[in-house]
Amino acid sequence: MNENKPLSLGVLISGTGTNLQAIIDEIEAGRLSARIAVVISNRSRAPGLERARRHGLETMVIDHRGFASREEFDRQLAAVLNRHGVELVVCAGFMRLLSPVMLDAFPNRIMNIHPSLLPAFPGINAQRAALQHGARWTGCTVFFVSAGVDDGPIIIQAVVPILPDDDEGRLSARILCQEHRIYPYAIRLYQEGRLELQQRRVVVRGALLVPPDQAWLNPPLAAC
Ligand code: GRF
């Protein structure tokens, strides 16, 4: 990877695309040296497609229902991403599991974001699961996609408290705010060549360290 060259991204979406928007905003503000080569949705009506078009980005719909298997869909996906010279694949609310076809085409070059502190609450409805479990903290995680569901090497996490009067909507909104901060940041770390994979651990070179005595309590001790 050439650290001076803008990174070529392929963004995969299925829905609203607010994470896509956060990435576009960082690029346009000059804080992320990248270009979005193509935005691909598996759903033709994904509102995120309109966001992409508003910013002059190339979009494409590849409807998974037109393919006999997950592998065939992934072969088409990989072909389009390669044709656009994509270096890093960014899943941003992309509601499809990727098969080995995609993982082999882009080894350690696919990122995803999940609205929980993995490995807690993988899979769908993660915010609801954290609430129902009675967890005091949840958050969001950016990770490299691997064969397991939401199981790949973790790049960065943000911690979000669960408040006594939270419902799924309020909690999801607060998590989403943090997603918009950490996803562009994770891509930037990748672009700067600062992510080093050691087995399943991602070492972030030159990162500030969290003070070793820093811990968060919820509820805080003072309230007890
Ligand atoms: C986010 O909560 C993300 O963590 C999950 O799907 C949601 C996508 O939101 N994978 P958006 O489409 O980026 O607004």
Side-chain angles (χ1 to χ4, degrees):
M1 196 182 343
N2 178 347
E3 289 151 37
N4 300 316
K5 189 174 140 277
L7 183 67
S8 177
L9 306 176
V11 183
L12 309 184
I13 62 168
S14 301
T16 326
T18 64
N19 278 290
L20 165 66
Q21 187 70 57
I23 295 163
I24 292 172
D25 291 347
E26 286 295 294
I27 293 173
E28 291 186 351
R31 288 188 291 262
L32 174 60
S33 176
R35 58 179 280 272
I36 297 178
V38 63
V39 175
I40 303 174
S41 173
N42 64 314
R43 294 200 183 123
S44 60
R45 296 216 276 217
L49 286 170
E50 194 39 48
R51 289 178 191 275
R53 290 187 198 115
R54 271 205 300 273
H55 290 266
L57 301 175
E58 184 172 341
T59 62
M60 191 172 288
V61 174
I62 307 179
D63 190 332
H64 58 279
R65 292 171 302 186
F67 295 84
S69 66
R70 200 175 285 283
E71 287 73 18
E72 273 187 39
F73 171 74
D74 280 7
R75 253 187 289 282
Q76 174 67 9
L77 202 54
V80 171
L81 291 163
N82 274 321
R83 203 161 63 230
H84 284 81
V86 165
E87 295 167 289
L88 180 70
V89 180
V90 175
C91 301
F94 183 61
M95 302 304 283
R96 303 285 306 162
L97 292 178
L98 295 175
S99 73
V101 171
M102 266 296 287
L103 298 178
D104 292 347
F106 294 91
N108 300 322
R109 291 198 289 137
I110 308 175
M111 280 188 193
N112 195 8
I113 188 155
H114 182 75
S116 79
L117 284 180
L118 291 172
F121 311 117
I124 57 165
N125 300 325
Q127 303 94 329
R128 189 186 310 165
L131 260 180
Q132 286 175 350
H133 191 90
R136 294 282 193 251
W137 300 98
T138 183
C140 45
T141 304
V142 179
F143 61 100
F144 284 115
V145 176
S146 67
V149 176
D150 299 325
D151 185 45
I154 290 171
I155 299 165
I156 183 169
Q157 297 185 302
V159 180
V160 174
I162 296 180
L163 305 178
D165 61 349
D166 261 343
D167 60 21
E168 197 181 336
R170 274 195 294 270
L171 178 60
S172 300
R174 289 208 312 285
I175 293 173
L176 201 55
C177 277
Q178 300 307 317
E179 293 186 33
H180 299 160
R181 297 175 69 200
I182 66 172
Y183 214 175
Y185 183 47
I187 297 167
R188 192 175 106 198
L189 291 171
Y190 183 92
Q191 189 276 329
E192 291 173 348
R194 292 168 60 190
L195 301 181
E196 190 186 311
L197 207 51
Q198 294 179 356
Q199 273 92 46
R200 65 156 299 131
R201 289 188 69 193
V202 178
V203 175
V204 182
R205 280 201 256 118
L208 293 176
L209 295 182
V210 176
D213 59 348
Q214 191 161 339
W216 293 276
L217 307 185
N218 182 16
L221 271 185
C224 296

